[in-house]
Amino acid sequence: MNNAEALLERLNEDHALSLDEYEALIEAQTPDLAQKAAALADRARREIYGNKIYVRGLIEIGNVCRNDCYYCGIRRSNKSCDRYVLDDETILACCDEGDALGFRTFVLQSGEGCLSVARICDLVREIKRRHPACAVTLSLGEYDRADYQKMFDAGADRYLLRHETADKAHYEKLHPAALSFDRRMNCLRDLKAIGFQVGCGFMVGSPFQTARTLAKDLKFIEAFQPDMCGIGPFVPHHATPFADEPAGTIEQTCYLLSLLRLIRPNLLLPATTALGTVDPRGREKGILAGANVVMPNLSPTATRKQYDLYDNKICTGDESAQCKNCLNMRMRTIGFEIVTDRGDIKK
Ligand code: 5AD
Ligand code: FES
């Protein structure tokens, strides 16, 4: 057994490594090592979740955004972005359709500052009134603690806020000065303290990312112990400052999915749309590497193309039922099964 394989074995046993060891493991990636990591991750995941895959219906409720992240296609400075905000009836109709299709989690996602806090809370209350067996996940960006508390009190169960990178200097290269690394990390701590099930996450292959910054992401996740972690390859968007930067790879994303599974065996880990964008079998490969969640798009077909975070995003022409069926079939072909379940973390 070589040194990197020994590190993998230890990660599988202890669910922890030092920062230098994570960095070494990231640098040591080869197809052979990635396969060993995937085999360990697969075993760890099966012990807890069997061959069950959880689904979340993703509803992209608006692409208006007050921020200007350099990588994101819906950034405020992108004047070619065709902005929209769904009305309440449309959002509620998406949830009704989702419930009928067997979804028991709805993820409401938007650009930051797109809806008022009062409107968010009213929506959450109405969704929970209509669909009491369903979980509501919010992915709406940064708010202060009192506002997060209002959303929680309105009935929201979970909150996704990707930390984007756990390295402050790297964070500052991906975002303008108005965005603060410390504030973002504080938001994650607030969300956890309030009692949300919390998801963080990062892009793989974002500009200026190194083995060291990725090691910090892994160390952060080991310490923070999120319930969920969303990772996907960076994909350039033509109308952003990072238009000419190379995309992240399927291989590195899958390898990191495996390492995350070993760090936290019960982690809710989606095989993301971005993964399906860089490779036609990306989501299947993500599941085989250790992911256990998929997030079919439940947004109205009319506005899907406008939620344009990165180029060539998949599923923008499909109906919700098509997305669900497509993923059902994809999961079945690799021996996994999508279940109708809220899909809470197994503790
Ligand atoms: N490529 C991949 N992922 C992106 N995101 C935003 N822009 C891109 C891009 N160009 C991700 C960010 C954000 C999430 C909603 O989408 O990580 O948190
Ligand atoms: Fe909207 Fe980044 S530009 S979150």
Side-chain angles (χ1 to χ4, degrees), residues 71-73 109 139 162 164 184 202-203 232-237 274 307 309-310:
Y71 45 83
C72 183
Q109 189 175 85
S139 176
R162 289 188 178 186
E164 310 297 357
R184 197 156 187 95
F202 56 93
M203 291 178 289
F234 161 74
V235 183
H237 183 286
Y307 203 79
L309 303 182
Y310 47 81

Side-chain angles (χ1 to χ4, degrees), residues 131-342:
H131 310 285
C134 295
V136 172
T137 304
L138 300 178
S139 176
L140 311 171
E142 298 179 17
Y143 288 89
D144 57 32
R145 179 158 176 173
D147 287 335
Y148 283 146
Q149 184 70 53
K150 285 182 196 156
M151 299 176 201
F152 186 75
D153 293 342
D157 303 273
R158 310 181 184 137
Y159 205 101
L160 305 179
L161 185 75
R162 289 188 178 186
H163 63 286
E164 310 297 357
T165 171
D167 180 282
K168 185 172 173 143
H170 184 211
Y171 190 90
E172 290 169 358
K173 291 180 185 161
L174 299 178
H175 304 94
L179 286 167
S180 145
F181 173 78
D182 294 324
R183 194 167 46 207
R184 197 156 187 95
M185 288 303 198
N186 265 328
C187 284
L188 283 168
R189 281 186 278 274
D190 285 345
L191 288 163
K192 204 172 201 192
I194 287 168
F196 281 103
Q197 297 171 45
V198 179
C200 62
F202 56 93
M203 291 178 289
V204 177
S206 61
F208 311 106
Q209 188 171 68
T210 62
R212 190 71 179 175
T213 66
L214 280 170
K216 288 188 185 175
D217 289 317
L218 298 184
K219 199 68 196 167
F220 168 67
I221 286 153
E222 179 200 301
F224 184 66
Q225 299 273 303
D227 299 292
M228 301 160 279
C229 184
I231 74 164
F234 161 74
V235 183
H237 183 286
H238 62 275
T240 63
F242 292 158
D244 297 325
E245 299 290 334
T249 66
I250 176 90
E251 289 82 9
Q252 192 175 34
T253 309
C254 286
Y255 182 56
L256 287 162
L257 283 169
S258 300
L259 298 187
L260 287 168
R261 175 64 60 205
L262 298 182
I263 290 172
R264 189 153 162 75
N266 59 348
L267 188 63
L268 296 164
L269 205 49
T272 55
T273 307
L275 203 51
T277 297
V278 295
D279 184 305
R281 290 189 67 249
R283 287 165 300 177
E284 291 89 320
K285 289 178 184 176
I287 297 294
L288 292 168
N292 67 329
V293 173
V294 290
M295 299 173 68
N297 202 321
L298 255 186
S299 308
T301 325
T303 48
R304 277 192 196 192
K305 282 198 174 54
Q306 287 158 258
Y307 203 79
D308 183 29
L309 303 182
Y310 47 81
D311 290 342
N312 307 313
K313 190 168 162 233
I314 55 169
C315 308
T316 55
D318 300 301
E319 300 286 340
S320 300
Q322 287 174 333
C323 260
K324 173 89 194 295
N325 290 336
C326 162
L327 276 164
N328 264 335
M329 194 199 63
R330 285 171 184 270
M331 295 301 110
R332 241 179 277 131
T333 59
I334 54 170
F336 288 82
E337 189 196 347
I338 283 184
V339 291
T340 298
D341 190 301
R342 267 177 57 119

Side-chain angles (χ1 to χ4, degrees), residues 63-76 83 110-112 141 164 175 179 184 309:
N63 66 356
V64 175
C65 189
R66 65 178 164 220
N67 290 338
D68 217 15
C69 313
Y70 299 144
Y71 45 83
C72 183
I74 65 169
R75 64 198 300 268
R76 187 186 66 216
R83 306 284 167 177
S110 72
E112 195 171 293
E164 310 297 357
H175 304 94
L179 286 167
R184 197 156 187 95
L309 303 182

